[in-house]
Amino acid sequence: MSRLRLLSAAALLTLATSASATSFVVTTDATVGALAATTETTSDVSSSFKDDKIVRAARDDAASFVASQGEIRGVRLQAALNHIRGQLPQLAASDMQLAQAILTL
């Protein structure tokens, strides 16, 4: 094998390893960021609405919503989501995050 081919193969191997490590770091950062956002939402909602009748009544609908990946949306869940967003307008959370938070109550 010529020296140029050997150096080219070594360079490609180095780049591939670097790209793989970078990809892992980006994926890990994205996953941790999403988990932190969900945890923060869960904490905000659970501490604010623990004894709220509208939100507590939506637990079964929230469970169906989460289990169906958002396909099943009951009227009690929709009422609870509207109620939560009305009480906490600064809360930037998806319907799925709020449904998961309702399940923790």
Side-chain angles (χ1 to χ4, degrees):
M1 196 178 242
S2 73
R3 183 172 265 201
L4 180 58
R5 285 187 182 174
L6 186 58
L7 288 174
S8 296
L12 284 174
L13 182 60
T14 302
L15 287 174
T17 303
S18 173
S20 178
T22 302
S23 175
F24 176 74
V25 169
V26 170
T27 303
T28 303
D29 288 349
T31 303
V32 169
L35 180 61
T38 301
T39 302
E40 183 178 323
T41 299
T42 301
S43 175
D44 288 348
V45 172
S46 61
S47 64
S48 299
F49 295 100
K50 191 170 192 166
D51 296 324
D52 192 296
K53 290 180 183 181
I54 295 171
V55 175
R56 292 190 63 79
R59 282 184 55 95
D60 288 342
D61 283 359
S64 296
F65 183 79
V66 171
S68 69
Q69 301 285 324
E71 293 292 318
I72 299 173
R73 180 185 294 263
V75 293
R76 288 185 180 144
L77 175 62
Q78 191 58 51
L81 296 176
N82 292 339
H83 179 67
I84 291 168
R85 289 197 170 105
Q87 297 295 315
L88 297 171
Q90 75 281 3
L91 185 66
S94 69
D95 290 350
M96 184 62 72
Q97 290 173 324
L98 291 176
Q100 290 169 343
I102 290 170
L103 290 176
T104 65
L105 299 177

